[in-house]
Amino acid sequence: MPYLNRPVVPAGTLARIPQPGLPTGDGLLLRPWRAKDAPAVYAAFQDPLMHQWHIRSADSEEEVTGWITQWQNGWKDEREAHWAVVDADTDELLGRVALRRVLLGDGCAEVAYWTVARARGRGVAVRSATTLSRWALDEIGLHRLELSHATANRASCRVAVKAGFVAEGTRRSALLHADGWHDMHLHARVRGD
């Protein structure tokens, strides 16, 4: 049975090009992940705050190397796209920003991010999420980006709002963390916002 509408973004749009680097214009660069980033990612995941708000932990650099391989393959498969957020001058890892649950035909994806401890409070997550959102909506042609965070994570809520994501509601008992089920705020940004 045929669909009544054409795909919002045609299949192959991402896979036919190399994953780009995306400069924020103010000292940060979103760049594709490299295997040599594994030690820095492993170190970032030893931070107790990462354990509080994320559902994954890292037991070894080898495990993280596997994540990086998955992140790289996600671009080729057009199901997700992950970038290392680095200092544009030094290449120091400051965080990660990603498009998860990419549905090109429906024109939507979910934005996710984290920052290393020493980068918090410097606007790294806001600048990264804003740059990625502009690229996804304006360059790639997605129509809707969603962003979720635990309702108790006030810092992440501030990032979402500052990056232009409008609060849409609360998804009750939506994600299981180490300390139990968390209610999640849902934010979204659509083309034209």
Side-chain angles (χ1 to χ4, degrees), residues 129-193:
T130 300
T131 297
L132 179 58
S133 298
R134 286 181 185 146
W135 176 82
L137 296 169
D138 300 339
E139 300 290 323
I140 295 302
L142 294 178
H143 178 73
R144 177 181 170 86
L145 299 175
E146 294 184 351
L147 188 158
S148 292
H149 63 82
T151 56
N153 189 342
R154 290 185 176 94
S156 197
C157 195
R158 287 190 300 272
V159 168
V161 171
K162 288 180 180 180
F165 285 78
V166 176
E168 291 190 336
T170 301
R171 296 169 47 228
R172 296 179 305 120
S173 198
L175 191 61
L176 181 60
H177 284 68
D179 63 349
W181 288 98
H182 282 224
D183 290 350
M184 304 293 286
H185 278 160
L186 174 65
H187 297 256
R189 183 171 172 174
V190 298
R191 186 186 286 195
D193 277 354

Side-chain angles (χ1 to χ4, degrees), residues 71-118:
W71 296 341
Q72 292 166 333
N73 291 336
W75 178 266
K76 297 171 196 166
D77 298 343
E78 297 188 313
R79 58 185 164 71
E80 56 188 13
H82 299 258
W83 282 263
V85 180
V86 299
D87 181 288
D89 295 325
T90 68
D91 202 46
E92 174 191 8
L93 181 68
L94 302 174
R96 166 193 160 255
V97 67
L99 294 175
R100 300 184 322 173
R101 299 182 182 104
V102 175
L103 298 173
L104 293 177
D106 293 339
C108 61
E110 179 184 16
V111 172
Y113 49 82
W114 52 257
T115 56
V116 300
R118 67 187 168 282

Side-chain angles (χ1 to χ4, degrees), residues 10-75:
T13 297
L14 299 181
R16 75 170 181 257
I17 60 171
Q19 184 177 357
L22 305 172
T24 63
D26 58 4
L28 301 180
L29 174 66
L30 316 183
R31 66 153 170 81
W33 286 97
R34 302 173 186 150
K36 70 178 187 176
D37 294 321
V41 175
Y42 174 74
F45 270 80
Q46 304 317 300
D47 176 7
L49 198 58
M50 292 290 272
H51 299 174
Q52 182 177 4
W53 302 122
H54 293 83
I55 60 172
R56 288 183 99 167
S57 65
D59 293 330
S60 69
E61 289 181 19
E62 292 76 24
E63 178 183 9
V64 171
T65 299
W67 297 357
I68 291 172
T69 299
Q70 290 175 347
W71 296 341
Q72 292 166 333
N73 291 336
W75 178 266

